[in-house]
Amino acid sequence: MEQELIDLLLFSKKALSTGQTICAQANTCLQTSEHHVETIAKIHPKLIFVDNHIIVQTRTLERIKEYIDIETESCNNRIKERESHLQTLTLELTNIFNLLKKRKIDKDILQVNKERMTGEENQQGYTCLFDYISDQGIIELQRQADDEIGEIETISNLLQNQSKSIATFLMEITKTRNAALSPIILLDTEFSSNKIQVQENEISEMAEILISLTNHYDQLGEAMRIYQSDVEGRNELDITVLRDDHEHIPRILEDLGNRLYIVESINEEIESRVQLYLKVKDNLIKLLNQLDLFGEGQADLILEKLVDAENEIEERDLNLEEYFKQLSSLAEWYRCYASSYNYLLLEVERRKRAQEKQESIKRELLKKFEEAYNDELQERRSWAVQHGQYLPEVLCPFINDSPSILRVGIESEPGRLPDLSPESIERALLEIHNNNNASMSETTSAATTATNTTTTTTTTTNTSTAAVPTTASNTDSDNNNTHT
């Protein structure tokens, strides 16, 4: 029995040593796990802070993009408005030019012009009002206005590209952020605490097992002491229970190993989670640095270009307003040009009547002058017969002077005025009548609008001298000064 006790005691001691080693390893794993949990507890709020900062910066970029989109839409609407205005003015001028092309010049006006032409002048081929003007100035203004609209379109495209650049960057940031957070986004926040609790429960069970191994070892030591000290009673010593406990030691050690495996597995899980958190932290910091780099470089450049674009749009728009004013002024000028031709025809007729009146007055004066001369001549002859023949000539040599001869002198002899056709006069009167009726309708409409509104905006149109025909000079040639 003594040898059996020695064997049992040695085996129990070895088992106890093995159990202590296993429990020590479990405690080390628990300490490591607790350190990992503490690390996770420190990293988690930092991740939340960094992620919130990323969200704030992305929202700032989104607001910048929204502002750029609003400016782009406003720019596009402005382009559509300006294009529509330019098309309206172009159509208006085209209609006026077509009207001028259809308005034929009276044939005798062309003949009189031909008679008065000098060698340097050349009006060959002139048949209508349009022939006396040049549309190159209009074409140039239209080209300049179209160029300004094209420049605004270029700016709009630039703004769209900037918006797309920010959108692409935001998509990349969102994709990178989701990829960075995906390893932990679905993780249970109570995972670590629960796992530590499992480890503690397992180690507590292992401690109980270690205590049972210690008790078994102590019991074997006590049995060995009794066996060696009580020679007479050693035969009565019962070690059946110790033998039975000895049989369970391998299973107990196996159970300790299994529990150690559980503790170590949990430690590996927690450590793996720590690595995930550390990786997420590194990725988020890289992402934050990428945002900071974008903000310090490209974002500043985008904002600078945006300010420049706004200023340039305003400048281009002011240029367009000036071109539109000039085109509107020219359109009004050419309408007046077409209308003034009708009044030119009436003025020609008036001057012809004035010339006829002057000619009639001239004839009447000449007739009266001749009658007065003849009467005076007859009176002098009668006086000479009655009295003059008796007077010496040296006494009154002046008495034989001839009577004064009165003549009509015309300064600035007028040239021939055209003989206008009745059709030309009739058309001029009809168009003047129609224009007057249209003007009265517009005046009535404007007066009604002014009555219904509280504020009247007066628009002053700046007239332009580009592409306008030479105006007729106000001369006094028709008002010839007749003197006696």
Side-chain angles (χ1 to χ4, degrees):
M1 177 180 289
E2 181 178 7
Q3 184 61 41
E4 184 180 3
L5 284 173
I6 293 172
D7 292 339
L8 291 176
L9 184 61
L10 291 174
F11 189 81
S12 176
K13 181 180 181 181
K14 184 178 180 181
L16 179 60
S17 176
T18 302
Q20 289 175 339
T21 301
I22 292 174
C23 288
Q25 292 176 350
N27 283 328
T28 301
C29 287
L30 178 60
Q31 292 175 359
T32 304
S33 297
E34 289 174 344
H35 176 70
H36 290 332
V37 170
E38 183 179 354
T39 301
I40 291 175
K42 292 179 180 179
I43 293 176
H44 188 73
K46 293 180 180 179
L47 295 182
I48 294 176
F49 174 79
V50 174
D51 186 55
N52 288 337
H53 193 60
I54 291 173
I55 292 174
V56 169
Q57 291 204 16
T58 54
R59 287 178 179 173
T60 301
L61 286 176
E62 287 173 354
R63 287 195 293 270
I64 294 175
K65 178 183 178 298
E66 290 173 359
Y67 180 78
I68 293 176
D69 290 340
I70 292 173
E71 286 297 311
T72 303
E73 184 178 2
S74 175
C75 185
N76 290 334
N77 291 336
R78 186 175 303 188
I79 290 171
K80 292 179 182 178
E81 179 184 349
R82 297 298 182 262
E83 286 180 340
S84 176
H85 194 181
L86 180 59
Q87 289 175 358
T88 300
L89 289 173
T90 301
L91 179 61
E92 183 179 4
L93 286 165
T94 301
N95 292 335
I96 294 173
F97 287 160
N98 289 335
L99 176 64
L100 295 177
K101 291 176 181 178
K102 292 178 181 178
R103 194 67 169 95
K104 300 300 181 180
I105 306 298
D106 188 271
K107 293 182 179 180
D108 204 44
I109 290 179
L110 297 175
Q111 180 60 35
V112 171
N113 291 342
K114 184 177 180 181
E115 294 171 358
R116 292 195 175 197
M117 277 194 307
T118 63
E120 298 177 356
E121 297 175 342
N122 183 12
Q123 295 184 5
Q124 187 175 2
Y126 285 19
T127 59
C128 61
L129 291 179
F130 183 78
D131 295 332
Y132 290 86
I133 64 172
S134 172
D135 59 350
Q136 292 304 312
I138 297 290
I139 295 174
E140 180 62 20
L141 282 174
Q142 290 173 333
R143 184 195 64 77
Q144 291 175 343
D146 192 61
D147 289 344
E148 294 295 335
I149 294 175
E151 291 297 331
I152 296 178
E153 288 178 343
T154 301
I155 297 172
S156 176
N157 294 333
L158 175 63
L159 292 177
Q160 289 178 355
N161 292 335
Q162 297 298 335
S163 177
K164 290 179 181 179
S165 176
I166 295 177
T168 301
F169 180 75
L170 287 175
M171 289 178 61
E172 293 176 355
I173 291 296
T174 301
K175 183 179 179 181
T176 305
R177 175 177 171 269
N178 292 336
L181 294 175
S182 61
I184 64 170
I185 196 169
L186 298 178
L187 295 181
D188 185 6
T189 56
E190 301 296 329
F191 170 83
S192 299
S193 300
N194 295 336
K195 290 297 182 179
I196 289 293
Q197 185 63 45
V198 172
Q199 281 185 322
E200 290 177 348
N201 293 338
E202 292 295 332
I203 289 175
S204 177
E205 294 292 333
M206 292 173 70
E208 293 294 332
I209 293 173
L210 185 61
I211 291 173
S212 67
L213 287 175
T214 302
N215 291 335
H216 178 65
Y217 177 75
D218 291 342
Q219 289 173 0
L220 284 173
E222 182 64 21
M224 178 60 74
R225 187 187 64 77
I226 293 173
Y227 182 82
Q228 291 177 348
S229 61
D230 187 2
V231 178
E232 295 179 357
R234 67 176 56 174
N235 293 328
E236 298 178 359
L237 183 63
D238 187 6
I239 61 172
T240 303
V241 176
L242 295 176
R243 288 192 186 100
D244 184 59
D245 290 343
H246 172 74
E247 294 296 331
H248 289 85
I249 286 177
R251 183 181 58 78
I252 291 173
L253 291 176
E254 182 180 358
D255 187 28
L256 282 175
N258 292 335
R259 292 182 184 277
L260 176 62
Y261 176 77
I262 293 174
V263 172
E264 289 177 340
S265 298
I266 291 175
N267 180 61
E268 290 176 357
E269 289 183 45
I270 296 176
E271 183 178 4
S272 175
R273 181 155 295 195
V274 170
Q275 296 302 320
L276 283 177
Y277 271 83
L278 290 173
K279 183 179 180 180
V280 170
K281 176 186 175 183
D282 292 339
N283 290 335
L284 288 181
I285 290 176
K286 290 179 181 179
L287 188 59
L288 185 61
N289 292 334
Q290 189 177 355
L291 277 167
D292 291 338
L293 183 63
F294 184 86
E296 294 175 357
Q298 193 170 355
D300 290 340
L301 182 61
I302 289 174
L303 291 176
E304 182 180 350
K305 289 183 177 179
L306 179 60
V307 173
D308 293 340
E310 290 176 344
N311 294 334
E312 187 171 357
I313 288 174
E314 290 299 324
E315 180 182 352
R316 300 292 181 183
D317 205 43
L318 289 175
N319 293 339
L320 277 174
E321 286 294 334
E322 181 61 27
Y323 294 145
F324 289 161
K325 286 180 181 179
Q326 293 185 29
L327 288 171
S328 298
S329 177
L330 288 171
E332 180 63 24
W333 203 100
Y334 285 123
R335 276 194 294 269
C336 293
Y337 168 50
S339 176
S340 296
Y341 175 73
N342 295 322
Y343 288 98
L344 169 66
L345 299 181
L346 299 185
E347 177 65 11
V348 169
E349 287 298 295
R350 187 197 66 79
R351 293 190 183 188
K352 287 192 69 175
R353 290 194 298 271
Q355 284 186 353
E356 291 172 356
K357 182 178 180 181
Q358 287 181 346
E359 188 64 27
S360 175
I361 293 172
K362 175 185 174 182
R363 288 195 299 270
E364 291 178 1
L365 288 175
L366 290 175
K367 181 179 179 182
K368 289 180 178 180
F369 292 163
E370 185 178 0
E371 291 175 352
Y373 176 80
N374 292 331
D375 291 342
E376 178 64 19
L377 184 62
Q378 185 62 37
E379 285 292 332
R380 292 187 183 192
R381 287 176 178 174
S382 298
W383 181 86
V385 171
Q386 295 178 12
H387 307 288
Q389 61 180 335
Y390 302 107
L391 296 174
E393 186 176 351
V394 295
L395 175 63
C396 51
F398 54 85
I399 203 66
N400 293 322
D401 291 345
S402 299
S404 299
I405 299 176
L406 299 179
R407 300 185 184 279
V408 177
I410 300 177
E411 293 184 2
S412 181
E413 183 72 23
R416 184 177 77 84
L417 288 174
D419 293 325
L420 303 179
S421 65
E423 293 80 7
S424 296
I425 300 298
E426 183 179 356
R427 180 174 179 178
L429 290 172
L430 179 61
E431 291 187 359
I432 290 174
H433 177 73
N434 292 337
N435 290 337
N436 289 338
N437 289 339
S439 298
M440 290 179 61
S441 299
E442 291 177 359
T443 304
T444 303
S445 177
T448 304
T449 304
T451 303
N452 296 332
T453 57
T454 58
T455 304
T456 302
T457 302
T458 303
T459 303
T460 302
T461 303
N462 297 323
T463 60
S464 171
T465 59
V468 298
T470 304
T471 59
S473 300
N474 293 325
T475 65
D476 293 330
S477 61
D478 54 334
N479 299 322
N480 299 307
N481 295 325
T482 305
H483 65 279
T484 304

